[in-house]
Amino acid sequence: MVKKQQHFWRKVIAFLLCILTGISLTLILEFKTVIASNIHILQTQENSNLIQQGRELYQTERYAEAVNIWQQALKAEKTQNDLSSQAMVLNYLALAYQKLGQWQQAKKAITSSLELLGNFKQTTTQTKLILAQTLNNQGSLELAQGQAEKALNTWQQATIIYTETGYIQGKIGSLINQAQAQQALGLYLQARKTLTDVEKALENQSDPQLKSIGLRSLGNVLRLVGAFEDSRKILQQSLQLLQNSDNLTTPEINATLLSLGNTVYAQGDKESALKYYEQAATNSPINITQIQAQINQIYILINADKLVDAENIWLQLQLNLAKLSPSRSTIYAHINLAKSLVKLGNQKTESAKLLVTALQQAKSLNDQKAQSYALGYLGGLYEKTQQWSNAQELTEQALQIAQAINAPDIAYQWQWQLGRILKAQGAIKSATDAYQVAFTTLKSLRSDLVAVNTDIQFSFRETVEPVYREYVELLLNPGTSKEPSQEQLKQARQVIESLQLAELDNFFRSACLEGQIVPIEQIQQSQAAVIYPIILKDKLEVILSLPQQGLRHYTAQVSQIELEEIVEKLRFNLEKPYTTPEGKLLSAKVYDWLIRPVQTELAQSQVKTLVFILDGSLRNIPMAALYDGKQYLLEKYSVALTPGLELLGPRPLQQTKLKTLVAGLTEARHGFSSLPNVNEELKAVESEVPSEVLLNQTFTSAALRKQIDSLPFSVVHLATHGQFSSNADETFVLAWDKPVKVNELKYLLRSREKTRPEPIELLVLSACETAEGDKRAALGLAGIAIQAGARSTLASLWSLDDESGARLIGQFYKELATKQVTKAEALRLAQLSLLKDPDYRHPVHWASYVLLGNWL
């Protein structure tokens, strides 16, 4: 019996390995369900060859064939009236149905399994484990259909059962599932705590192979939720464990190397990624993991313009790929390779052959999801060669299949592709309609965007963002000499708003604005204008909203590349401590794009505040420093930014109730330099408004939370090092005890919501800065503003640790506390006080501070 069990567990490990080799969300989620269900296989496999045969087919990703076999097994078990075996087979069927996108059949199989288990008068350990596995399946189905809260509750039930039965592997798996659901719900700290519990449980796992597989699964999940550094650390532990094991298995090492490559690539470390992929690709025997690693190498090398190296690997890969048996992973390997080869320029014929092979294999396996991918990308290849009729026909076929299996994450791509094809043929109205459908599909995905298409090479900037921008371009250029209608302008504005939200969702790896927002029209006062720049490839479109007027639209003929170059140079000049003619010229150029075409209308409307909803690299420069040739913009207007068209319950700040919690660091901590001028800044704040101060050792994350929970502060002021980045894991503010990352900051600042309904009115972040060399770094600033839950955030785009910074902050609070002015006007007056001083007139001293959110 012992030998039989050892043999069984070896097979289980192989089964798990196959499942965990992929990097998709659904593959990772199945880690635990399969472990749990195999307990019962151990006891029934001798008299049920069909179950074993189906399991082997599932393992090789031949899901439709596995369904057929398990359906036969289910009939056989019914004749023997073995209810527990029937429930187990139904669970297996549910797994395969989910793989095929057959959601109703999966739900029906799960329901039938639960009904059978409910008929047991007495429950045994075996039936409890089958129930836990059923619940795991149910949670996976619920999450796949966007029901994250239900999935979390279901997986919590599964965890309880695994804990009761003492089945550690199942418990670990269900906890990993819980973390996925918590992340989808935006419960970042709970998700991280759950994953920490998983890590602790794995430390006590005695079987090194199961432990390494569990660590790899944990590392993959950490990557998906954006915890890249933690993912890297866990995966390195898995690799070390495997390398130190007596039962060294190359396939498992390759799988972990592949995962490590994926994680470091997500971190932007392409050189390390190539090394990991190379190691995974050179180890034998040849298998799908090795092939995937080589394809990833090709992808990186092509994007780095190392085309000769990419072609050399492609030549090695050709023979190996042909040796693989048909499976979903093999099909996706063909598709991913074809996508990369198109970029080589001279390999379109080879790409077409690969896609045709993928399509043939998908049809032979009756795998509709894979068929949709193969048809769609084949249509995309015809699009590149401008064979419009073939391109449209194949794209429509791919879309029809994606809609039939209810796969919106695939469908939106073909709706978008169809729009591009129709636009290229001059059918602007039909193209716009296709883009409208793609946009609607993307909006329905929201929190799922971070997890879609991980089987196929996926990049938010390549496969999501262009849908929004191209749709806006069609709306603003409807194919006639006429200006777009008000409805088209409103829709374009709404599309850009959705892009802003999608960017933030992708930044946080979860939906971040559910249930927090108020439309801007409800609070836009007569003295504020809203300006929406939209960066397109060959031009800059701008929409202007003036109080009680229709929307205005104007265009600047500047390419995205030129715009980004000028913005980068302007930012560099603004940070110089001395004035240059080039700086003012660059500033004037941006003014010409955004303000000059409507400066007369702005003056006539008598608006006092300009509210910008900035796009792309424009977020990295302060609008107050735009120059019209005589004056800076702040000399005429208050300036505010907002991450979107909707704001968190805006209302004016009540000056009479102004009370501030001030926290700061003056000493060097965690590798960051000292900030001696923070002392002066804190004194300046204390002199103007009632303040509670946490300085140096007293400014810990726990102390900050305690103060926020216990006292009714309307303003929280953090004078400390901080960084805004396009990566949430690298966006933080520094406390004495540790860097507090953006997602943790949310829980520190919002902890009092349970006892106090009112949010923080104003969050001030001074001495912080945008990450150097990160063109999208200001996304992190918007991220902090959103997560903090404050009505407004005042932050610095670059660190200003000198006397001018303390003086500006002191003047800001003075204006806020003594005059009936808006927060935007208080900032303007403080900035003007420095601009008028000969020692501080350069923008480096006053322009870095920007106000986000509610400007009232």
Side-chain angles (χ1 to χ4, degrees):
M1 182 64 180
V2 172
K3 284 186 177 179
K4 193 177 292 183
Q5 284 184 341
Q6 289 174 340
H7 174 69
F8 162 72
W9 278 114
R10 280 196 295 272
K11 296 179 82 172
V12 169
I13 290 167
F15 194 16
L16 290 171
L17 172 63
C18 173
I19 288 172
L20 292 170
T21 296
I23 59 170
S24 77
L25 177 64
T26 49
L27 287 178
I28 290 171
L29 289 174
E30 286 175 11
F31 164 56
K32 30 298 159 193
T33 44
V34 175
I35 278 187
S37 63
N38 278 326
I39 287 295
H40 191 67
I41 289 181
L42 175 63
Q43 297 164 345
T44 62
Q45 59 184 337
E46 290 181 359
N47 58 15
S48 185
N49 289 330
L50 287 172
I51 294 175
Q52 172 67 13
Q53 189 180 341
R55 184 168 154 273
E56 289 171 355
L57 287 166
Y58 183 95
Q59 179 180 345
T60 55
E61 301 178 320
R62 298 163 69 174
Y63 303 120
E65 293 173 67
V67 165
N68 291 333
I69 294 297
W70 279 331
Q71 283 174 337
Q72 294 176 44
L74 183 61
K75 289 179 182 177
E77 297 297 343
K78 282 180 178 179
T79 60
Q80 297 178 26
N81 201 30
D82 187 337
L83 298 184
S84 61
S85 291
Q86 290 177 50
M88 183 196 67
V89 176
L90 283 165
N91 282 326
Y92 265 54
L93 280 166
L95 275 174
Y97 283 136
Q98 286 186 60
K99 277 294 186 184
L100 293 168
Q102 298 175 8
W103 308 113
Q104 289 304 316
Q105 292 94 321
K107 187 175 181 180
K108 185 177 177 182
I110 289 167
T111 302
S112 299
S113 178
L114 290 171
E115 287 174 354
L116 284 172
L117 293 167
N119 290 331
F120 283 92
K121 294 179 180 178
Q122 291 184 330
T123 56
T124 63
T125 299
Q126 176 177 292
T127 55
K128 284 181 179 179
L129 287 170
I130 296 173
L131 174 60
Q133 189 246 345
T134 307
L135 292 170
N136 259 332
N137 274 347
Q138 184 175 330
S140 178
L141 181 64
E142 287 165 343
L143 190 67
Q145 295 182 312
Q147 300 170 329
E149 193 164 352
K150 281 187 176 180
L152 178 58
N153 291 333
T154 302
W155 281 324
Q156 285 170 340
Q157 293 175 51
T159 303
I160 290 169
I161 296 171
Y162 284 130
T163 304
E164 287 174 354
T165 56
Y167 191 56
I168 302 302
Q169 285 79 19
K171 179 181 177 180
I172 288 170
S174 59
L175 284 171
I176 289 176
N177 276 345
Q178 282 189 47
Q180 289 280 14
Q182 287 164 338
Q183 184 72 19
L185 290 166
L187 305 174
Y188 174 80
L189 283 191
Q190 288 96 318
R192 295 306 302 271
K193 183 181 180 302
T194 301
L195 292 172
T196 301
D197 292 342
V198 171
E199 190 174 357
K200 288 177 181 175
L202 284 168
E203 286 175 4
N204 299 322
Q205 172 58 253
S206 58
D207 188 312
Q209 288 184 317
L210 286 177
K211 183 175 181 178
S212 66
I213 289 172
L215 287 170
R216 183 165 67 243
S217 180
L218 176 59
N220 286 336
V221 173
L222 286 165
R223 179 177 66 252
L224 284 176
V225 302
F228 300 128
E229 194 54 43
D230 290 339
S231 170
R232 189 173 190 163
K233 181 188 75 172
I234 292 294
L235 290 169
Q236 284 170 338
Q237 286 181 30
S238 174
L239 181 63
Q240 188 174 10
L241 195 64
L242 288 166
Q243 291 173 336
N244 294 340
S245 173
D246 293 333
N247 300 318
L248 187 70
T249 55
T250 301
E252 288 184 22
I253 290 176
N254 285 354
T256 301
L257 286 167
L258 179 64
S259 290
L260 265 167
N262 293 336
T263 290
V264 298
Y265 180 76
Q267 287 183 295
D269 187 354
K270 295 176 183 177
E271 289 302 315
S272 294
L274 278 173
K275 289 176 183 176
Y276 282 125
Y277 292 144
E278 187 177 356
Q279 290 178 61
T282 51
N283 291 335
S284 58
I286 294 167
N287 57 27
I288 186 62
T289 306
Q290 185 183 38
I291 297 295
Q292 287 169 335
Q294 288 181 303
I295 292 171
N296 288 355
Q297 281 180 280
I298 291 172
Y299 178 79
I300 294 175
L301 290 168
I302 289 175
N303 287 332
D305 280 333
K306 297 180 179 179
L307 303 186
V308 174
D309 293 341
E311 291 213 41
N312 288 338
I313 295 175
W314 155 233
L315 293 173
Q316 298 170 27
L317 183 59
Q318 279 179 297
L319 292 175
N320 293 339
L321 188 58
K323 294 175 184 176
L324 293 180
S325 300
S327 69
R328 176 172 285 182
S329 289
T330 306
I331 295 166
Y332 288 161
H334 280 83
I335 293 170
N336 279 329
L337 181 57
K339 286 175 65 184
S340 290
L341 290 182
V342 167
K343 295 181 181 179
L344 280 176
N346 59 347
Q347 297 288 355
K348 286 190 173 64
T349 302
E350 292 299 330
S351 293
K353 288 179 182 177
L354 286 164
L355 290 169
V356 168
T357 300
L359 181 58
Q360 290 170 343
Q361 290 187 358
K363 286 181 176 178
S364 72
L365 297 178
N366 195 24
D367 189 331
Q368 289 185 295
K369 186 176 181 181
Q371 280 184 58
S372 180
Y373 273 132
L375 282 165
Y377 285 115
L378 195 55
L381 190 59
Y382 278 115
E383 178 194 1
K384 289 183 187 302
T385 57
Q386 299 184 5
Q387 295 171 267
W388 305 120
S389 178
N390 290 335
Q392 185 170 337
E393 182 181 352
L394 289 167
T395 303
E396 287 171 343
Q397 288 178 33
L399 177 56
Q400 188 175 10
I401 293 173
Q403 291 172 327
I405 62 172
N406 190 25
D409 55 310
I410 307 174
Y412 91 83
Q413 296 178 76
W414 312 144
Q415 290 156 351
W416 170 35
Q417 185 163 291
L418 184 59
R420 297 196 308 267
I421 293 165
L422 290 166
K423 180 186 175 185
Q425 297 176 84
I428 301 301
K429 175 66 170 66
S430 298
T432 305
D433 291 343
Y435 270 94
Q436 165 67 38
V437 178
F439 166 67
T440 303
T441 304
L442 271 176
K443 280 186 71 177
S444 73
L445 285 169
R446 271 304 298 275
S447 61
D448 298 329
L449 274 178
V450 297
V452 300
N453 300 331
T454 42
D455 298 311
I456 303 295
Q457 285 164 353
F458 171 77
S459 159
F460 178 86
R461 296 203 69 183
E462 290 179 3
T463 62
V464 175
E465 191 173 324
V467 182
Y468 294 91
R469 297 197 185 281
E470 291 167 16
Y471 182 29
V472 165
E473 187 170 13
L474 279 170
L475 288 167
L476 298 182
N477 299 274
T480 65
S481 57
K482 297 179 181 178
E483 272 286 300
S485 67
Q486 282 295 305
E487 283 306 309
Q488 287 169 320
L489 289 174
K490 286 179 182 177
Q491 178 68 1
R493 192 179 67 167
Q494 183 58 43
V495 173
I496 288 303
E497 160 72 354
S498 296
L499 174 58
Q500 302 269 7
L501 292 181
E503 281 186 304
L504 286 166
D505 288 346
N506 191 57
F507 174 80
F508 289 117
R509 321 295 287 184
S510 64
C512 63
L513 276 177
E514 301 290 354
Q516 299 177 23
I517 45 184
V518 175
I520 205 169
E521 282 82 0
Q522 291 183 17
I523 50 90
Q524 183 180 344
Q525 294 189 336
S526 60
Q527 295 177 326
V530 187
I531 299 171
Y532 315 86
I534 303 162
I535 301 171
L536 302 177
K537 282 185 179 179
D538 59 350
K539 59 188 149 188
L540 175 68
E541 301 277 15
V542 188
I543 297 174
L544 169 68
S545 173
L546 289 169
Q548 286 81 49
Q549 295 186 33
L551 297 175
R552 277 282 318 274
H553 161 243
Y554 47 102
T555 304
Q557 297 300 326
V558 54
S559 70
Q560 181 178 352
I561 293 172
E562 184 186 353
L563 181 146
E564 289 179 349
E565 286 177 355
I566 288 172
V567 165
E568 188 175 357
K569 288 178 183 176
L570 173 57
R571 170 62 185 264
F572 177 74
N573 272 272
L574 289 173
E575 288 190 68
K576 285 181 178 179
Y578 50 86
T579 304
T580 64
E582 184 191 15
K584 284 192 171 181
L585 286 172
L586 292 166
S587 184
K589 193 174 282 288
V590 181
Y591 181 94
D592 289 345
W593 299 335
L594 297 180
I595 306 298
R596 197 174 299 281
V598 290
Q599 62 183 8
T600 302
E601 289 92 329
L602 289 172
Q604 291 172 348
S605 69
Q606 297 184 325
V607 296
K608 293 185 177 180
T609 304
L610 301 185
V611 181
F612 290 88
I613 298 177
L614 295 176
D615 187 24
S617 59
L618 288 170
R619 297 177 184 133
N620 289 331
I621 55 173
M623 294 293 106
L626 298 189
Y627 192 66
D628 68 359
K630 295 180 180 179
Q631 290 180 302
Y632 289 105
L633 195 61
L634 94 139
E635 296 182 73
K636 293 191 282 188
Y637 301 100
S638 302
V639 175
L641 311 177
T642 175
L645 304 179
E646 299 170 301
L647 299 173
L648 174 63
R651 68 181 182 193
L653 184 63
Q654 296 179 350
Q655 284 88 347
T656 56
K657 295 183 180 179
L658 208 58
K659 188 170 183 182
T660 304
L661 172 60
V662 185
L665 294 182
T666 61
E667 298 179 20
R669 293 294 291 170
H670 305 285
F672 291 89
S673 61
S674 62
L675 294 168
N677 283 287
V678 161
N679 258 326
E680 297 304 313
E681 182 175 322
L682 299 194
K683 288 177 184 176
V685 176
E686 284 186 275
S687 68
E688 300 297 342
V689 293
S691 303
E692 186 76 26
V693 178
L694 300 174
L695 183 62
N696 292 330
Q697 291 93 332
T698 61
F699 173 24
T700 64
S701 53
L704 181 66
R705 178 168 183 166
K706 183 179 178 181
Q707 289 287 347
I708 289 170
D709 287 350
S710 59
L711 296 171
F713 297 106
S714 53
V715 179
V716 174
H717 184 115
L718 305 180
T720 178
H721 282 291
Q723 178 177 275
F724 311 122
S725 165
S726 58
N727 178 352
D729 218 34
E730 296 171 4
T731 297
F732 62 88
V733 294
L734 192 67
W736 181 265
D737 55 330
K738 64 176 183 177
V740 180
K741 294 180 182 178
V742 58
N743 282 307
E744 296 176 75
L745 191 63
K746 168 184 176 180
Y747 289 92
L748 285 177
L749 297 176
R750 291 189 172 186
S751 58
R752 70 174 184 174
E753 287 181 357
K754 296 175 183 177
T755 55
R756 298 180 183 277
E758 71 279 0
I760 296 165
E761 292 287 346
L762 176 64
L763 171 67
V764 181
L765 302 168
S766 64
C768 298
E769 58 190 334
T770 51
E772 191 174 343
D774 185 349
K775 291 183 179 179
R776 296 160 65 88
L779 190 64
L781 173 52
I784 282 187
I786 292 294
Q787 288 294 64
R791 296 187 192 278
S792 312
T793 300
L794 178 65
S796 52
L797 291 174
W798 57 84
S799 181
L800 197 63
D801 179 41
D802 59 19
E803 187 181 337
S804 62
R807 179 172 160 179
L808 187 146
I809 287 294
Q811 188 67 30
F812 170 74
Y813 279 103
K814 182 177 181 179
E815 302 290 348
L816 207 57
T818 60
K819 298 179 183 177
Q820 293 295 317
V821 296
T822 65
K823 284 170 273 191
E825 180 65 7
L827 175 61
R828 185 179 88 91
L829 293 172
Q831 290 174 316
L832 278 175
S833 71
L834 266 69
L835 177 60
K836 292 174 182 176
D837 187 325
D839 293 334
Y840 299 124
R841 66 174 55 174
H842 189 274
V844 70
H845 296 292
W846 53 262
S848 73
Y849 282 94
V850 293
L851 181 71
L852 284 90
N854 171 23
W855 59 90
L856 301 178

